[in-house]
């Protein structure tokens, strides 16, 4: 993982768990030279936060298309939310042309002030605190850590903003022990879901910093599938390949849409928000989290076309979460689990951010330039289990008729061929998880 060339030693960046997020502390110093004047300007935090959410949603869909292109035949599961927030941390530590690359890649062109972005981000994270409790039907926890090497001169800016998350380890003398220590930290933070993230050799004597963010999510369906009705059914991987899968079944009232732009049907499966009145558990409840399933026709290349259309329309997520019709739907969804480790470096290169890994990249705000560091790798390991109760996150050709009038009840939404799914948080207007289910594993 280490590179003895260029800036002497490289940084190891880790994106861990199911959802990962950085909890920034109030900003007391500047990490961007020349930004002091902009920091004194009056900032509309609500507007800035909305722009930050917008940039994140664009990044989410671009990331999905890039990862699918890199691994076109596999089931996928990852957290665009976690990666976006880790990349924001990189942006806060970047300077000069590297800062510009991240501003473009993260869709932050709405502000050339790093302070404005930092305060919008800090406000967004503050609003998230206290929303979720693991004792409730929807549980969420997130922890983060900056594992600096003991020899690294940490900048005063980083010390001020991340004082509660900084820990210094002895990479130089005990690299293997520190690897095991970080793995144990990850396992504890994800309730045992993510184990052995760092393989032997990931941490070396030349490692300077590991940015580790780990989180755990659980959600109970608002309308649970009936375990007694789960049975083996055929899943059509392609026109000439089928496998049996444990297919869950439920009939209930859900938000359903036929989206003409995407060429697919979309179903919202909300997780319980704890309210007794189920009708209150959506747009008027900012705590609502839902899974959206995008089901394209069972035709050749239909999934690829859907992913390309998602990436091309920057406003589509807002449309999707507000476009459904509440109606009775007969739902079939595979019972599945996916665990994936994704090396994000080639994915970020596809998104035009390959220069972040070059020797010329400038991340001097981490150390005030006293000990230059750079990035070698970005790794994310994510896991999800979907069953009749909910989710834990640590062929036949179908003719679709698009919406022209309210169709007869009940609609059929049978996921017996490849589909896309997202787990969406209304409170932050963010995609917490993203996945593509192509076949039983």
């Amino acid at each position: 993982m280490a590179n003895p060339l260029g800036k002497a030693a490289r940084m190891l960046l880790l994106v861990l768990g199911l959802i990962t997020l950085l909890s920034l502390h109030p900003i007391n110093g500047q990490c961007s030279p020349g930004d002091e004047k902009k920091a004194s300007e009056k900032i509309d935090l609500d507007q800035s936060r909305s722009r930050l959410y917008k940039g994140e949603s664009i990044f989410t869909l671009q990331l999905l298309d890039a990862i699918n292109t890199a691994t076109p035949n596999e089931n996928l599961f990852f957290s665009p939310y976690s990666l976006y927030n880790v990349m924001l941390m990189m942006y806060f530590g970047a300077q000069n042309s590297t800062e510009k690359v991240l501003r473009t890649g993260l869709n932050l062109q709405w502000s050339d002030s790093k302070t404005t972005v930092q305060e919008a981000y800090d406000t967004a994270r503050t609003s998230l605190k206290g929303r979720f409790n693991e004792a409730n039907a929807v549980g969420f926890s997130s922890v983060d850590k900056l594992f600096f090497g003991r020899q690294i001169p940490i900048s005063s800016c980083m010390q001020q903003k991340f004082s509660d998350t900084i820990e210094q380890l002895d990479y130089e003398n005990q690299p293997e022990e520190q690897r095991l220590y970080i793995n144990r930290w990850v396992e504890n933070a994800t309730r045992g879901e993510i184990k052995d993230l760092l393989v032997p050799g990931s941490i070396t004597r030349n490692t300077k910093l590991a940015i580790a963010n780990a989180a755990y999510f659980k959600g109970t369906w608002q309308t649970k599938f009936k375990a007694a009705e789960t049975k083996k059914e055929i899943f059509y991987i392609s026109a000439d390949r089928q496998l049996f899968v444990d297919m869950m079944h439920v009939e209930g009232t859900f938000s359903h849409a036929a989206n003409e732009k995407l060429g697919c049907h979309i179903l919202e499966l909300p997780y319980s928000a704890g309210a007794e009145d189920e009708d209150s558990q959506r747009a008027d409840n900012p705590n609502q989290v839902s899974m959206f399933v995008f089901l394209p026709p069972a035709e050749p290349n239909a999934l690829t076309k859907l992913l390309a259309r998602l990436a091309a329309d920057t406003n589509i997520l807002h449309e999707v979460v507000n476009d459904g019709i509440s109606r009775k739907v007969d739902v079939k969804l595979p019972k599945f689990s996916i665990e994936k480790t994704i090396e994000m470096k080639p994915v970020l290169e596809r998104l035009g951010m390959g220069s972040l890994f070059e020797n010329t990249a400038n991340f001097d705000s981490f150390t005030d330039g006293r000990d230059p560091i750079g990035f070698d790798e970005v790794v994310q390991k994510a896991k999800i289990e979907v069953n009749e109760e909910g989710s834990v996150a640590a062929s036949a050709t179908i003719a679709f008729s698009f919406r022209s009038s309210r169709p007869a009840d009940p609609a059929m939404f049978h996921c017996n061929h490849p589909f896309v799914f997202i787990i969406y948080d209304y409170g932050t207007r963010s995609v917490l998880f993203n996945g593509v289910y192509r076949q039983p594993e």
Side-chain angles (χ1 to χ4, degrees), residues 379-418:
V379 179
Q380 183 178 99
K381 187 171 186 178
K383 178 180 179 181
I384 187 172
E385 180 179 353
V386 176
N387 58 30
E388 293 88 352
E389 295 291 318
S391 302
V392 174
S395 172
T397 299
I398 301 176
F400 288 83
S401 58
F402 289 103
R403 182 179 59 234
S404 58
S405 60
R406 186 181 177 90
D409 287 338
M412 300 293 180
F413 194 91
H414 293 176
C415 299
N416 61 357
H417 57 279

mmCIF file of all heavy atoms in Angstrom, residues 379-418:
data_model
loop_
_atom_site.group_PDB
_atom_site.id
_atom_site.type_symbol
_atom_site.label_atom_id
_atom_site.label_comp_id
_atom_site.label_asym_id
_atom_site.label_seq_id
_atom_site.Cartn_x
_atom_site.Cartn_y
_atom_site.Cartn_z
ATOM 1 N N VAL A 379 -10.641 2.266 -0.237
ATOM 2 C CA VAL A 379 -11.280 0.959 -0.147
ATOM 3 C C VAL A 379 -12.586 1.070 0.623
ATOM 4 O O VAL A 379 -12.636 1.702 1.676
ATOM 5 C CB VAL A 379 -10.362 -0.064 0.563
ATOM 6 C CG1 VAL A 379 -11.049 -1.424 0.669
ATOM 7 C CG2 VAL A 379 -9.042 -0.201 -0.179
ATOM 8 N N GLN A 380 -13.620 0.474 0.096
ATOM 9 C CA GLN A 380 -14.883 0.420 0.818
ATOM 10 C C GLN A 380 -15.361 -1.018 0.919
ATOM 11 O O GLN A 380 -15.359 -1.753 -0.071
ATOM 12 C CB GLN A 380 -15.963 1.243 0.123
ATOM 13 C CG GLN A 380 -17.283 1.248 0.913
ATOM 14 C CD GLN A 380 -18.364 2.089 0.266
ATOM 15 O OE1 GLN A 380 -19.230 1.570 -0.410
ATOM 16 N NE2 GLN A 380 -18.314 3.393 0.466
ATOM 17 N N LYS A 381 -15.745 -1.424 2.106
ATOM 18 C CA LYS A 381 -16.323 -2.740 2.318
ATOM 19 C C LYS A 381 -17.720 -2.539 2.885
ATOM 20 O O LYS A 381 -17.901 -1.822 3.873
ATOM 21 C CB LYS A 381 -15.479 -3.568 3.285
ATOM 22 C CG LYS A 381 -15.938 -5.029 3.411
ATOM 23 C CD LYS A 381 -14.929 -5.847 4.204
ATOM 24 C CE LYS A 381 -15.303 -7.328 4.215
ATOM 25 N NZ LYS A 381 -14.295 -8.143 4.936
ATOM 26 N N ALA A 382 -18.687 -3.137 2.266
ATOM 27 C CA ALA A 382 -20.076 -2.922 2.660
ATOM 28 C C ALA A 382 -20.831 -4.236 2.633
ATOM 29 O O ALA A 382 -20.510 -5.149 1.873
ATOM 30 C CB ALA A 382 -20.742 -1.913 1.732
ATOM 31 N N LYS A 383 -21.852 -4.318 3.467
ATOM 32 C CA LYS A 383 -22.621 -5.553 3.596
ATOM 33 C C LYS A 383 -24.081 -5.211 3.851
ATOM 34 O O LYS A 383 -24.385 -4.278 4.592
ATOM 35 C CB LYS A 383 -22.065 -6.384 4.757
ATOM 36 C CG LYS A 383 -22.794 -7.685 5.037
ATOM 37 C CD LYS A 383 -22.137 -8.410 6.207
ATOM 38 C CE LYS A 383 -22.844 -9.711 6.557
ATOM 39 N NZ LYS A 383 -22.194 -10.383 7.715
ATOM 40 N N ILE A 384 -24.973 -5.967 3.246
ATOM 41 C CA ILE A 384 -26.406 -5.783 3.496
ATOM 42 C C ILE A 384 -27.090 -7.139 3.538
ATOM 43 O O ILE A 384 -26.711 -8.070 2.818
ATOM 44 C CB ILE A 384 -27.070 -4.896 2.421
ATOM 45 C CG1 ILE A 384 -28.532 -4.588 2.802
ATOM 46 C CG2 ILE A 384 -26.973 -5.516 1.042
ATOM 47 C CD1 ILE A 384 -29.199 -3.565 1.915
ATOM 48 N N GLU A 385 -28.083 -7.245 4.388
ATOM 49 C CA GLU A 385 -28.942 -8.425 4.442
ATOM 50 C C GLU A 385 -30.391 -7.950 4.383
ATOM 51 O O GLU A 385 -30.800 -7.093 5.167
ATOM 52 C CB GLU A 385 -28.711 -9.222 5.721
ATOM 53 C CG GLU A 385 -29.595 -10.470 5.818
ATOM 54 C CD GLU A 385 -29.343 -11.268 7.082
ATOM 55 O OE1 GLU A 385 -28.397 -10.926 7.816
ATOM 56 O OE2 GLU A 385 -30.103 -12.223 7.321
ATOM 57 N N VAL A 386 -31.128 -8.490 3.431
ATOM 58 C CA VAL A 386 -32.540 -8.133 3.255
ATOM 59 C C VAL A 386 -33.377 -9.378 3.477
ATOM 60 O O VAL A 386 -33.195 -10.398 2.802
ATOM 61 C CB VAL A 386 -32.803 -7.560 1.840
ATOM 62 C CG1 VAL A 386 -34.285 -7.294 1.632
ATOM 63 C CG2 VAL A 386 -31.999 -6.285 1.629
ATOM 64 N N ASN A 387 -34.288 -9.312 4.457
ATOM 65 C CA ASN A 387 -35.163 -10.442 4.727
ATOM 66 C C ASN A 387 -36.588 -9.967 4.978
ATOM 67 O O ASN A 387 -36.917 -8.806 4.726
ATOM 68 C CB ASN A 387 -34.628 -11.269 5.904
ATOM 69 C CG ASN A 387 -34.484 -10.435 7.173
ATOM 70 O OD1 ASN A 387 -35.224 -9.483 7.404
ATOM 71 N ND2 ASN A 387 -33.528 -10.796 8.005
ATOM 72 N N GLU A 388 -37.433 -10.865 5.476
ATOM 73 C CA GLU A 388 -38.847 -10.545 5.652
ATOM 74 C C GLU A 388 -39.076 -9.425 6.660
ATOM 75 O O GLU A 388 -40.032 -8.661 6.563
ATOM 76 C CB GLU A 388 -39.630 -11.789 6.097
ATOM 77 C CG GLU A 388 -39.720 -12.888 5.058
ATOM 78 C CD GLU A 388 -38.537 -13.862 5.124
ATOM 79 O OE1 GLU A 388 -37.575 -13.577 5.886
ATOM 80 O OE2 GLU A 388 -38.563 -14.882 4.428
ATOM 81 N N GLU A 389 -38.170 -9.324 7.656
ATOM 82 C CA GLU A 389 -38.341 -8.322 8.703
ATOM 83 C C GLU A 389 -37.875 -6.936 8.273
ATOM 84 O O GLU A 389 -38.430 -5.927 8.696
ATOM 85 C CB GLU A 389 -37.579 -8.749 9.959
ATOM 86 C CG GLU A 389 -38.116 -10.012 10.620
ATOM 87 C CD GLU A 389 -39.479 -9.783 11.247
ATOM 88 O OE1 GLU A 389 -39.669 -8.736 11.879
ATOM 89 O OE2 GLU A 389 -40.350 -10.660 11.094
ATOM 90 N N GLY A 390 -36.821 -6.898 7.444
ATOM 91 C CA GLY A 390 -36.277 -5.608 7.033
ATOM 92 C C GLY A 390 -34.878 -5.769 6.493
ATOM 93 O O GLY A 390 -34.594 -6.737 5.787
ATOM 94 N N SER A 391 -34.000 -4.834 6.807
ATOM 95 C CA SER A 391 -32.639 -4.851 6.278
ATOM 96 C C SER A 391 -31.642 -4.544 7.369
ATOM 97 O O SER A 391 -31.902 -3.731 8.257
ATOM 98 C CB SER A 391 -32.471 -3.808 5.162
ATOM 99 O OG SER A 391 -33.395 -4.026 4.114
ATOM 100 N N VAL A 392 -30.519 -5.211 7.278
ATOM 101 C CA VAL A 392 -29.369 -4.842 8.083
ATOM 102 C C VAL A 392 -28.275 -4.528 7.081
ATOM 103 O O VAL A 392 -27.939 -5.318 6.235
ATOM 104 C CB VAL A 392 -28.925 -5.975 9.039
ATOM 105 C CG1 VAL A 392 -27.635 -5.581 9.731
ATOM 106 C CG2 VAL A 392 -30.015 -6.273 10.059
ATOM 107 N N ALA A 393 -27.694 -3.272 7.340
ATOM 108 C CA ALA A 393 -26.697 -2.918 6.385
ATOM 109 C C ALA A 393 -25.357 -2.648 7.047
ATOM 110 O O ALA A 393 -25.339 -1.940 8.044
ATOM 111 C CB ALA A 393 -27.127 -1.693 5.568
ATOM 112 N N ALA A 394 -24.129 -2.787 8.258
ATOM 113 C CA ALA A 394 -23.076 -3.362 8.681
ATOM 114 C C ALA A 394 -23.621 -4.419 8.089
ATOM 115 O O ALA A 394 -23.396 -4.481 7.783
ATOM 116 C CB ALA A 394 -22.561 -3.523 9.945
ATOM 117 N N SER A 395 -36.323 -16.091 -19.496
ATOM 118 C CA SER A 395 -36.969 -14.943 -18.908
ATOM 119 C C SER A 395 -38.043 -14.568 -19.852
ATOM 120 O O SER A 395 -37.952 -14.662 -21.012
ATOM 121 C CB SER A 395 -36.176 -13.750 -18.503
ATOM 122 O OG SER A 395 -37.049 -12.733 -18.139
ATOM 123 N N ALA A 396 -38.753 -14.174 -19.068
ATOM 124 C CA ALA A 396 -39.992 -13.679 -19.686
ATOM 125 C C ALA A 396 -39.846 -12.210 -19.999
ATOM 126 O O ALA A 396 -39.270 -11.456 -19.222
ATOM 127 C CB ALA A 396 -41.142 -13.888 -18.722
ATOM 128 N N THR A 397 -40.277 -11.759 -21.105
ATOM 129 C CA THR A 397 -40.273 -10.341 -21.457
ATOM 130 C C THR A 397 -41.555 -9.720 -20.948
ATOM 131 O O THR A 397 -42.648 -10.243 -21.184
ATOM 132 C CB THR A 397 -40.172 -10.146 -22.982
ATOM 133 O OG1 THR A 397 -38.942 -10.737 -23.433
ATOM 134 C CG2 THR A 397 -40.189 -8.677 -23.336
ATOM 135 N N ILE A 398 -41.411 -8.626 -20.205
ATOM 136 C CA ILE A 398 -42.565 -7.980 -19.606
ATOM 137 C C ILE A 398 -42.891 -6.711 -20.368
ATOM 138 O O ILE A 398 -42.026 -5.873 -20.611
ATOM 139 C CB ILE A 398 -42.292 -7.641 -18.121
ATOM 140 C CG1 ILE A 398 -41.957 -8.923 -17.353
ATOM 141 C CG2 ILE A 398 -43.470 -6.930 -17.486
ATOM 142 C CD1 ILE A 398 -41.585 -8.685 -15.915
ATOM 143 N N ALA A 399 -44.117 -6.568 -20.771
ATOM 144 C CA ALA A 399 -44.560 -5.350 -21.455
ATOM 145 C C ALA A 399 -45.019 -4.350 -20.409
ATOM 146 O O ALA A 399 -45.877 -4.660 -19.577
ATOM 147 C CB ALA A 399 -45.690 -5.659 -22.425
ATOM 148 N N PHE A 400 -44.432 -3.159 -20.435
ATOM 149 C CA PHE A 400 -44.766 -2.122 -19.470
ATOM 150 C C PHE A 400 -45.646 -1.071 -20.137
ATOM 151 O O PHE A 400 -45.317 -0.551 -21.197
ATOM 152 C CB PHE A 400 -43.498 -1.435 -18.930
ATOM 153 C CG PHE A 400 -42.696 -2.294 -18.007
ATOM 154 C CD1 PHE A 400 -41.803 -3.226 -18.501
ATOM 155 C CD2 PHE A 400 -42.835 -2.189 -16.640
ATOM 156 C CE1 PHE A 400 -41.056 -4.026 -17.655
ATOM 157 C CE2 PHE A 400 -42.096 -2.979 -15.787
ATOM 158 C CZ PHE A 400 -41.205 -3.902 -16.297
ATOM 159 N N SER A 401 -46.717 -0.759 -19.482
ATOM 160 C CA SER A 401 -47.542 0.354 -19.961
ATOM 161 C C SER A 401 -47.361 1.495 -18.972
ATOM 162 O O SER A 401 -47.648 1.338 -17.783
ATOM 163 C CB SER A 401 -49.014 -0.051 -20.028
ATOM 164 O OG SER A 401 -49.467 -0.479 -18.771
ATOM 165 N N PHE A 402 -46.871 2.628 -19.448
ATOM 166 C CA PHE A 402 -46.579 3.741 -18.555
ATOM 167 C C PHE A 402 -47.834 4.499 -18.187
ATOM 168 O O PHE A 402 -48.865 4.407 -18.852
ATOM 169 C CB PHE A 402 -45.541 4.670 -19.193
ATOM 170 C CG PHE A 402 -44.187 4.038 -19.236
ATOM 171 C CD1 PHE A 402 -43.700 3.509 -20.417
ATOM 172 C CD2 PHE A 402 -43.429 3.907 -18.098
ATOM 173 C CE1 PHE A 402 -42.465 2.901 -20.447
ATOM 174 C CE2 PHE A 402 -42.198 3.297 -18.124
ATOM 175 C CZ PHE A 402 -41.708 2.798 -19.301
ATOM 176 N N ARG A 403 -47.696 5.273 -17.109
ATOM 177 C CA ARG A 403 -48.849 5.883 -16.472
ATOM 178 C C ARG A 403 -49.625 6.787 -17.416
ATOM 179 O O ARG A 403 -49.113 7.757 -17.953
ATOM 180 C CB ARG A 403 -48.367 6.711 -15.271
ATOM 181 C CG ARG A 403 -49.458 7.359 -14.483
ATOM 182 C CD ARG A 403 -48.881 8.137 -13.311
ATOM 183 N NE ARG A 403 -47.964 9.162 -13.768
ATOM 184 C CZ ARG A 403 -46.724 9.290 -13.344
ATOM 185 N NH1 ARG A 403 -46.251 8.463 -12.457
ATOM 186 N NH2 ARG A 403 -45.949 10.241 -13.802
ATOM 187 N N SER A 404 -50.872 6.463 -17.627
ATOM 188 C CA SER A 404 -51.792 7.352 -18.334
ATOM 189 C C SER A 404 -53.062 7.515 -17.524
ATOM 190 O O SER A 404 -53.754 8.504 -17.619
ATOM 191 C CB SER A 404 -52.118 6.796 -19.725
ATOM 192 O OG SER A 404 -52.684 5.504 -19.608
ATOM 193 N N SER A 405 -53.368 6.497 -16.729
ATOM 194 C CA SER A 405 -54.505 6.567 -15.822
ATOM 195 C C SER A 405 -54.234 5.595 -14.685
ATOM 196 O O SER A 405 -53.331 4.780 -14.757
ATOM 197 C CB SER A 405 -55.794 6.187 -16.549
ATOM 198 O OG SER A 405 -55.711 4.867 -17.045
ATOM 199 N N ARG A 406 -54.992 5.662 -13.648
ATOM 200 C CA ARG A 406 -54.788 4.775 -12.502
ATOM 201 C C ARG A 406 -55.128 3.354 -12.905
ATOM 202 O O ARG A 406 -56.259 3.057 -13.267
ATOM 203 C CB ARG A 406 -55.671 5.218 -11.331
ATOM 204 C CG ARG A 406 -55.405 4.420 -10.060
ATOM 205 C CD ARG A 406 -56.325 4.905 -8.957
ATOM 206 N NE ARG A 406 -56.151 4.130 -7.741
ATOM 207 C CZ ARG A 406 -55.303 4.429 -6.777
ATOM 208 N NH1 ARG A 406 -54.538 5.493 -6.897
ATOM 209 N NH2 ARG A 406 -55.210 3.697 -5.689
ATOM 210 N N PRO A 407 -54.132 2.436 -12.879
ATOM 211 C CA PRO A 407 -54.386 1.064 -13.303
ATOM 212 C C PRO A 407 -55.217 0.307 -12.279
ATOM 213 O O PRO A 407 -55.397 0.730 -11.155
ATOM 214 C CB PRO A 407 -52.974 0.470 -13.408
ATOM 215 C CG PRO A 407 -52.173 1.269 -12.450
ATOM 216 C CD PRO A 407 -52.753 2.651 -12.469
ATOM 217 N N ALA A 408 -55.724 -0.830 -12.696
ATOM 218 C CA ALA A 408 -56.557 -1.648 -11.811
ATOM 219 C C ALA A 408 -55.727 -2.206 -10.668
ATOM 220 O O ALA A 408 -54.570 -2.554 -10.832
ATOM 221 C CB ALA A 408 -57.190 -2.783 -12.603
ATOM 222 N N ASP A 409 -56.315 -2.298 -9.479
ATOM 223 C CA ASP A 409 -55.634 -2.869 -8.305
ATOM 224 C C ASP A 409 -55.798 -4.381 -8.294
ATOM 225 O O ASP A 409 -56.832 -4.881 -8.723
ATOM 226 C CB ASP A 409 -56.216 -2.277 -7.028
ATOM 227 C CG ASP A 409 -55.800 -0.835 -6.817
ATOM 228 O OD1 ASP A 409 -54.775 -0.429 -7.377
ATOM 229 O OD2 ASP A 409 -56.530 -0.132 -6.084
ATOM 230 N N PRO A 410 -54.832 -5.121 -7.746
ATOM 231 C CA PRO A 410 -53.528 -4.608 -7.327
ATOM 232 C C PRO A 410 -52.522 -4.644 -8.458
ATOM 233 O O PRO A 410 -52.618 -5.478 -9.356
ATOM 234 C CB PRO A 410 -53.138 -5.588 -6.221
ATOM 235 C CG PRO A 410 -53.717 -6.883 -6.678
ATOM 236 C CD PRO A 410 -55.006 -6.527 -7.374
ATOM 237 N N ALA A 411 -51.549 -3.758 -8.426
ATOM 238 C CA ALA A 411 -50.457 -3.801 -9.392
ATOM 239 C C ALA A 411 -49.520 -4.942 -9.018
ATOM 240 O O ALA A 411 -49.437 -5.344 -7.864
ATOM 241 C CB ALA A 411 -49.704 -2.481 -9.386
ATOM 242 N N MET A 412 -48.821 -5.465 -10.000
ATOM 243 C CA MET A 412 -47.848 -6.530 -9.763
ATOM 244 C C MET A 412 -46.439 -5.946 -9.862
ATOM 245 O O MET A 412 -46.094 -5.322 -10.863
ATOM 246 C CB MET A 412 -48.014 -7.648 -10.797
ATOM 247 C CG MET A 412 -49.384 -8.294 -10.783
ATOM 248 S SD MET A 412 -49.669 -9.221 -9.255
ATOM 249 C CE MET A 412 -51.341 -9.838 -9.563
ATOM 250 N N PHE A 413 -45.661 -6.131 -8.805
ATOM 251 C CA PHE A 413 -44.283 -5.677 -8.805
ATOM 252 C C PHE A 413 -43.435 -6.866 -8.372
ATOM 253 O O PHE A 413 -43.120 -7.031 -7.194
ATOM 254 C CB PHE A 413 -44.104 -4.487 -7.854
ATOM 255 C CG PHE A 413 -42.804 -3.738 -8.037
ATOM 256 C CD1 PHE A 413 -42.713 -2.658 -8.911
ATOM 257 C CD2 PHE A 413 -41.668 -4.106 -7.340
ATOM 258 C CE1 PHE A 413 -41.526 -1.965 -9.076
ATOM 259 C CE2 PHE A 413 -40.470 -3.419 -7.494
ATOM 260 C CZ PHE A 413 -40.407 -2.347 -8.367
ATOM 261 N N HIS A 414 -43.112 -7.709 -9.343
ATOM 262 C CA HIS A 414 -42.410 -8.961 -9.075
ATOM 263 C C HIS A 414 -40.961 -8.843 -9.544
ATOM 264 O O HIS A 414 -40.687 -8.801 -10.741
ATOM 265 C CB HIS A 414 -43.107 -10.130 -9.766
ATOM 266 C CG HIS A 414 -44.462 -10.408 -9.200
ATOM 267 N ND1 HIS A 414 -45.312 -11.381 -9.727
ATOM 268 C CD2 HIS A 414 -45.137 -9.859 -8.146
ATOM 269 C CE1 HIS A 414 -46.439 -11.406 -9.024
ATOM 270 N NE2 HIS A 414 -46.344 -10.487 -8.067
ATOM 271 N N CYS A 415 -40.027 -8.813 -8.605
ATOM 272 C CA CYS A 415 -38.612 -8.632 -8.930
ATOM 273 C C CYS A 415 -37.971 -9.992 -9.214
ATOM 274 O O CYS A 415 -37.159 -10.493 -8.429
ATOM 275 C CB CYS A 415 -37.901 -7.935 -7.780
ATOM 276 S SG CYS A 415 -38.541 -6.302 -7.415
ATOM 277 N N ASN A 416 -38.319 -10.566 -10.345
ATOM 278 C CA ASN A 416 -37.787 -11.873 -10.730
ATOM 279 C C ASN A 416 -36.752 -11.771 -11.839
ATOM 280 O O ASN A 416 -36.452 -12.741 -12.528
ATOM 281 C CB ASN A 416 -38.916 -12.812 -11.141
ATOM 282 C CG ASN A 416 -39.691 -12.295 -12.344
ATOM 283 O OD1 ASN A 416 -39.433 -11.202 -12.850
ATOM 284 N ND2 ASN A 416 -40.652 -13.097 -12.810
ATOM 285 N N HIS A 417 -36.191 -10.582 -12.004
ATOM 286 C CA HIS A 417 -35.085 -10.350 -12.933
ATOM 287 C C HIS A 417 -34.290 -9.152 -12.400
ATOM 288 O O HIS A 417 -34.731 -8.485 -11.467
ATOM 289 C CB HIS A 417 -35.603 -10.123 -14.360
ATOM 290 C CG HIS A 417 -36.573 -8.998 -14.505
ATOM 291 N ND1 HIS A 417 -37.915 -9.115 -14.196
ATOM 292 C CD2 HIS A 417 -36.396 -7.709 -14.894
ATOM 293 C CE1 HIS A 417 -38.523 -7.967 -14.411
ATOM 294 N NE2 HIS A 417 -37.619 -7.093 -14.815
ATOM 295 N N PRO A 418 -33.092 -8.861 -12.944
ATOM 296 C CA PRO A 418 -32.202 -7.863 -12.343
ATOM 297 C C PRO A 418 -32.847 -6.499 -12.106
ATOM 298 O O PRO A 418 -33.634 -6.014 -12.905
ATOM 299 C CB PRO A 418 -31.056 -7.776 -13.359
ATOM 300 C CG PRO A 418 -30.998 -9.153 -13.950
ATOM 301 C CD PRO A 418 -32.448 -9.569 -14.074
#
